[in-house]
Amino acid sequence: MTRPLHRFTGLVLGLVLSLTALSGAALSVYPAIEHLSAGALTMTAGQLVATVAAAQPGLQEIAVSPAGTVTAYTAGGSAVVDPATGALRAAAPSAGLAWLTNLHRQLFLGDRGRIAVAGFALAMLALSVSGLALLARRSGGWRGVFARQKGGGWARFHAETARAVVLALTLSSVTGLWMTAATFDLLPTAESPAFPATTTGLTGAAL
């Protein structure tokens, strides 16, 4: 049962899984590019807020991405902040990034595509688990999985390659399923803290 499951899953979904993997690999480059172009944040938080608030009337929020890009939001839109000077420039979303994101997350099919991609992630998980079981059978037990593989040709190459990447494939499929569940609000969320019953009455504090 394990071998037919592994073979069928690999043959039918190999192309789609390869497409998803390649688009995900391309997406992984963008945070590094963003980090290089963002620059270093030399201001204190108070200086940054004061500078942006003076230049951006109606400031509602300032967000700093993990890569270091500082973005200011108002009711009328958003602007990217130069972290060195506090100067603003129009946010210019990358068309290539948007295209790759839509391809990777939803195959340009909206919510139906998200569900399909989740199905592919589940299939990759089944492919990884069944492949690991087959590798253990081929190696004479679970201890033999980490030993030098016997045989030659493509069978040995496939076994050794699978052993090297199975953990990454499993982690990728599990996190993909987790992200899909979060998108559709299927995961428990922490409740917001209750508003305090008493307040200090002090408002308008300086930044």
Side-chain angles (χ1 to χ4, degrees):
M1 180 61 184
T2 305
R3 187 177 296 276
L5 172 64
H6 185 74
R7 183 185 297 114
F8 177 78
T9 306
L11 288 175
V12 174
L13 299 175
L15 180 61
V16 180
L17 292 176
S18 298
L19 179 64
T20 304
L22 289 174
S23 59
L27 282 173
S28 68
V29 177
Y30 277 87
I33 297 175
E34 182 185 353
H35 178 72
L36 292 175
S37 61
L41 184 60
T42 57
M43 292 183 170
T44 65
Q47 291 171 334
L48 179 65
V49 172
T51 302
V52 176
Q56 193 83 336
L59 179 67
Q60 295 180 339
E61 180 184 356
I62 296 178
V64 182
S65 73
T69 299
V70 182
T71 306
Y73 294 92
T74 65
S78 62
V80 177
V81 182
D82 185 334
T85 64
L88 304 177
R89 66 178 187 271
S94 169
L97 177 60
W99 189 87
L100 277 173
T101 300
N102 287 332
L103 171 64
H104 182 73
R105 293 183 179 178
Q106 54 187 330
L107 302 176
F108 306 114
L109 297 175
D111 285 344
R112 291 180 299 174
R114 291 179 184 274
I115 295 173
V117 170
F120 299 144
L122 184 61
M124 186 164 68
L125 181 60
L127 196 66
S128 301
V129 172
S130 60
L132 191 60
L134 287 172
L135 182 60
R137 183 186 302 175
R138 182 182 188 276
S139 305
W142 290 103
R143 291 184 178 181
V145 169
F146 302 100
R148 182 180 178 85
Q149 295 297 304
K150 300 178 181 179
W154 286 107
R156 179 178 176 180
F157 175 78
H158 180 72
E160 292 183 345
T161 303
R163 181 178 60 182
V165 302
V166 65
L167 181 60
L169 290 176
T170 301
L171 182 62
S172 178
S173 58
V174 170
T175 53
L177 290 170
W178 185 277
M179 292 173 66
T180 302
T183 299
F184 289 102
D185 297 325
L186 300 178
L187 299 176
T189 56
E191 296 183 358
S192 301
F195 194 79
T198 60
T199 61
T200 63
L202 299 177
T203 61
L207 293 173

